[in-house]
Each structure stands twice: as structure tokens, then as C-alpha cells.
């Protein structure tokens, strides 16, 4: 362990787990053990107010679409 508390995972372990530089790991403590688990990181997109208004406008259902959806929900 470095003076900053950093650890290095052996190359064989990284290769077996398919870990690459920059991957995110979650750490769990289990008694006296440290468990590292690869994390799933999903990208986050930011939208302008105008783009969010476009999404809202495009998501409005017509009366016919709404009626069809209600029929399917009640089935």
C-alpha cells in the first residue's frame, strides 16, 4: 500500500476480471476483509430546457393512442 493508501492489483487479477485503467470499483468491508467489485457506470446526459420541452411535446399521446393504451392496460 502506498503512503496515500493506494493499492495495486496484480496484472493477472486485472486481466482475469477484464479490468482496464479508469474502471470504477466498489469497495465493501466484510469483517476484516476488503471486497472490490467492478461497478456498472452509466453515462448521464444533460439536456437544455428547450430539449426537455421537446421531449415532453413528443411524448403526448393522441386521443386514439391513449384509448388503445387503456384497452391494453385493462386487458
Amino acid at each position: 500500500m502506498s503512503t496515500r493508501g493506494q493499492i495495486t492489483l496484480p496484472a493477472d487479477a486485472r486481466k482475469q476480471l477484464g479490468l482496464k485503467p479508469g474502471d470504477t470499483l466498489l469497495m465493501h468491508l466484510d469483517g476484516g476483509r476488503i471486497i472490490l467489485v467492478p461497478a456498472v457506470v452509466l453515462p448521464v446526459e444533460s439536456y437544455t430546457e428547450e430539449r426537455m420541452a421537446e421531449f415532453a411535446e413528443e411524448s403526448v399521446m393522441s386521443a386514439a393512442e391513449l384509448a388503445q393504451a387503456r384497452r391494453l392496460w385493462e386487458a
Side-chain angles (χ1 to χ4, degrees):
M1 179 174 4
S2 75
T3 56
R4 294 180 53 196
Q6 296 172 320
I7 61 170
T8 300
L9 299 176
D12 288 346
R14 294 190 315 263
K15 186 175 180 179
Q16 275 186 342
L17 295 172
L19 297 174
K20 300 175 293 308
D23 283 353
T24 300
L25 301 174
L26 300 175
M27 183 194 77
H28 302 279
L29 298 177
D30 182 16
R33 299 183 308 159
I34 298 171
I35 299 173
L36 298 174
V37 180
V40 175
V41 179
L42 303 175
V44 175
E45 295 184 44
S46 296
Y47 298 107
T48 63
E49 292 294 325
E50 293 81 14
R51 187 65 177 127
M52 291 191 312
E54 289 175 15
F55 289 146
E57 198 172 297
E58 293 169 3
S59 70
V60 176
M61 297 174 98
S62 69
E65 291 170 326
L66 186 56
Q68 181 182 9
R70 283 194 175 131
R71 285 192 298 273
L72 292 173
W73 293 332
E74 291 171 357

